Amino acid sequence: MSRSFIKAYGLHWLRDEVEWRSNGHLYGRRNANVSALRLADMWTQTGIYILHDAYGAYYVGQVESQTLGERLRQHTKDTHGDKWDRFSWFGFNAMLTGRTPDGVHRVKDTRPKDLLGSTERTIHDVEALLIMALGSHRTGNKHTEKFTDAEEWEQVWDHEKDKYLAVAQRQADNRTGPMFR
């Protein structure tokens, strides 16, 4: 059984740095240097998301039957459309070691049937989720909680996208970089 129900997450991604068309992308990265870069498209992730405005968390939702990208795209056009400028996400789907032909890491297509592990780890992960989501690590919570078994992914900004896609493609072509070792 899984150690944690959160497998991957991203904090305070900028809405304006995402292409929201029907086949959009939510590119995230782990590491920035060429030899250690991991690039993934989180569009198909499922889980919990938070829309943020200038004052903090504005709206909380969950993605079950849709994908994260589809649901967030809907929020760019619905009654919440002009009320948020950032979002955080907490994904239930594991990251796969396999890559697409262009070198981008894939998100597992389905989330686990049983999300929760041990009670202790679940409580720890819920605390970490709330601390990160609410931003209380900057104020009252002086310790930094981490998820039991999740990786944080940094948002790839639009002006960085081509550079990181080129690196991922070279890694795939040369079978170098993380996951090829």
Side-chain angles (χ1 to χ4, degrees):
M1 180 176 273
S2 172
R3 292 177 41 192
S4 172
F5 69 100
I6 302 296
K7 298 298 182 189
Y9 65 99
L11 299 174
H12 304 284
W13 286 23
L14 297 173
R15 171 185 167 162
D16 289 346
E17 292 292 328
V18 176
E19 293 180 34
W20 294 110
R21 64 182 191 271
S22 61
N23 58 342
H25 299 282
L26 290 173
Y27 287 118
R29 66 172 172 78
R30 299 262 309 151
N31 298 309
N33 64 43
V34 172
S35 63
L37 174 72
R38 289 175 57 206
L39 184 68
D41 187 351
M42 301 301 174
W43 190 271
T44 60
Q45 192 53 271
T46 66
I48 298 167
Y49 64 91
I50 300 167
L51 306 180
H52 302 277
D53 64 13
Y55 302 101
Y58 160 74
Y59 179 92
V60 177
Q62 57 95 12
V63 183
E64 183 178 354
S65 59
Q66 295 178 294
T67 65
L68 176 63
E70 290 169 350
R71 188 66 182 120
L72 291 172
R73 183 174 43 131
Q74 289 172 352
H75 285 312
T76 67
K77 299 174 184 176
D78 65 13
T79 58
H80 306 292
D82 61 348
K83 297 177 181 159
W84 60 283
D85 61 356
R86 288 165 286 117
F87 62 96
S88 297
W89 57 271
F90 304 89
F92 298 150
N93 299 46
M95 299 305 300
L96 297 174
T97 56
R99 297 181 186 212
T100 61
D102 58 357
V104 177
H105 288 273
R106 296 181 300 124
V107 174
K108 190 172 184 176
D109 290 338
T110 57
R111 67 182 180 186
K113 291 188 188 312
D114 297 316
L115 283 176
L116 304 181
S118 72
T119 300
E120 180 180 309
R121 287 185 174 135
T122 299
I123 291 169
H124 180 86
D125 282 357
V126 169
E127 179 186 25
L129 189 150
L130 289 170
I131 288 171
M132 290 180 198
L134 298 175
S136 64
H137 63 283
R138 295 186 317 264
T139 55
N141 290 88
K142 297 302 178 194
H143 64 286
T144 303
E145 286 299 325
K146 299 207 182 285
F147 291 107
T148 306
D149 192 32
E151 296 177 314
E152 181 175 5
W153 291 78
E154 299 291 325
Q155 183 178 21
V156 173
W157 293 357
D158 193 49
H159 74 276
E160 303 172 311
K161 183 176 58 179
D162 291 339
K163 174 180 78 170
Y164 288 129
L165 284 169
V167 170
Q169 182 68 63
R170 280 195 307 275
Q171 288 176 341
D173 292 346
N174 299 329
R175 299 193 57 77
T176 60
M179 307 309 228
F180 288 115
R181 294 185 186 126

